[in-house]
Amino acid sequence: MANETKEPIAMIAIDGPAASGKSTVGRLLAEKLNYLYLDTGSMYRAVTWAALQEEIDIEDETAVTQLAHNIEIEIFPVRDGEADGRHYTVHVAGQDITWQLRTPAVDANVSQVSSYLGVRQEMVARQRAFGERGAVVMVGRDIGTVVMPDAPLKLYITASAEERARRRTRDRQAQGHIANYDDILADVLRRDQIDSNREHSPLRPATDAVLIDSTAQPPAAIVDTILKMIRETVTSNQ
Ligand code: CDP
């Protein structure tokens, strides 16, 4: 963590593997700080959803990359009347696809889509443009390493694979879906494997990231620790 910042921290980068709790922590942190929140995974999921929808062969890198360049993705905070458990709303070409992003078909294909360099370059450019507004919490796999390498605060949140699969199973069931722990564990492990070993921007902590293991810690406790860390950084520099 760089600590030459005198201004309040403009950008918080949070990375970590599937279902590690990073999105919940990021969202709560953004709420507490009154920052904008961007879950970059939703953008790779939106490209994947659109590719499946248009019946593009997921193995066809050129076609998927072209789609990523042309796709119109908009992400909005939750508005009145949308209280169905969503944490933000995602539109693709004006269509609300927030819940379609969470289907097993998208889970099964998103790591392949996000391994393509051209897809990443396009999404990273859009993410950086968002980050330039300042007062942003951005969550993903490569935020601290690639998207925002100068972020003054970088966090890397992990948890055991079993705990992550338990959480994802509970979330899915709470959303009214049939969810099988073993299938979800297999998906989480498979995505970790692809995300960590891909050629472009593999999942890994930035060298200056603060590592947090969320296995036995609820998100609220982690958020409190981070807020304390931020207060100490800001005051120690004034
Ligand atoms: O919520 P969960 O942790 O399961 O996944 P996500 O954050 O929605 O990300 C879905 C997938 O998108 C990941 O498995 C990665 O393959 C990819 N991703 C990425 O490559 N880079 C990011 N900055 C965010 C997500």
Side-chain angles (χ1 to χ4, degrees):
M1 190 168 91
N3 62 357
E4 60 272 12
T5 330
K6 291 204 175 65
E7 299 296 317
I9 285 171
M11 166 77 207
I12 300 174
I14 308 183
D15 293 300
S20 62
K22 61 190 185 304
S23 306
T24 309
V25 167
R27 188 166 43 77
L28 293 175
L29 197 58
E31 245 170 59
K32 294 261 185 197
L33 294 168
N34 202 18
Y35 278 23
L36 293 169
Y37 170 65
L38 181 63
D39 177 1
T40 60
S42 67
M43 299 172 69
Y44 293 98
R45 287 175 179 271
V47 175
T48 307
W49 173 82
L52 294 170
Q53 193 71 7
E54 293 180 23
E55 297 184 1
I56 292 172
D57 179 0
I58 297 294
E59 302 289 328
D60 185 343
E61 181 167 354
T62 308
V64 174
T65 302
Q66 195 175 10
L67 171 75
H69 279 274
N70 297 333
I71 191 170
E72 187 195 316
I73 307 172
E74 290 170 296
I75 304 175
F76 307 104
V78 179
R79 289 177 284 216
D80 288 347
E82 288 178 331
D84 59 359
R86 67 183 58 204
H87 299 307
Y88 47 77
T89 293
V90 182
H91 285 187
V92 164
Q95 185 189 347
D96 182 351
I97 54 138
T98 311
W99 287 116
Q100 282 94 312
L101 297 183
R102 304 283 148 195
T103 58
V106 171
D107 280 351
N109 290 288
V110 65
S111 286
Q112 176 72 28
V113 166
S114 54
S115 71
Y116 297 144
L117 179 62
V119 172
R120 303 206 67 80
Q121 286 172 332
E122 177 63 25
M123 295 302 123
V124 167
R126 296 184 191 196
Q127 291 155 16
R128 284 188 182 144
F130 188 91
E132 274 162 18
R133 301 178 200 187
V136 170
V137 178
M138 207 180 289
V139 174
R141 299 289 187 288
D142 58 342
I143 310 305
T145 50
V146 174
V147 181
M148 291 285 161
D150 297 329
L153 178 59
K154 300 177 186 175
L155 307 163
Y156 188 87
I157 303 185
T158 54
S160 72
E162 291 72 19
E163 176 60 20
R164 292 187 282 128
R166 268 194 294 277
R167 289 177 188 165
R168 189 53 44 103
T169 309
R170 255 196 329 260
D171 289 350
R172 285 272 148 82
Q173 288 169 344
Q175 289 156 11
H177 301 294
I178 297 168
N180 176 280
Y181 169 84
D182 291 329
D183 293 346
I184 291 183
L185 178 61
D187 174 70
V188 159
L189 292 172
R190 194 185 51 82
R191 280 201 289 133
D192 284 356
Q193 159 76 13
I194 303 177
D195 294 347
S196 307
N197 293 299
R198 68 185 176 210
E199 183 185 355
H200 311 294
S201 314
L203 168 68
R204 68 168 62 114
T207 47
D208 52 350
V210 178
L211 305 185
I212 298 174
D213 186 335
S214 78
T215 308
Q217 283 193 84
I222 299 176
V223 169
D224 283 346
T225 310
I226 300 168
L227 288 172
K228 205 165 149 243
M229 216 184 290
I230 293 172
R231 274 195 300 272
E232 281 165 5
T233 310
V234 173
T235 39
S236 73
N237 285 290
Q238 281 172 347

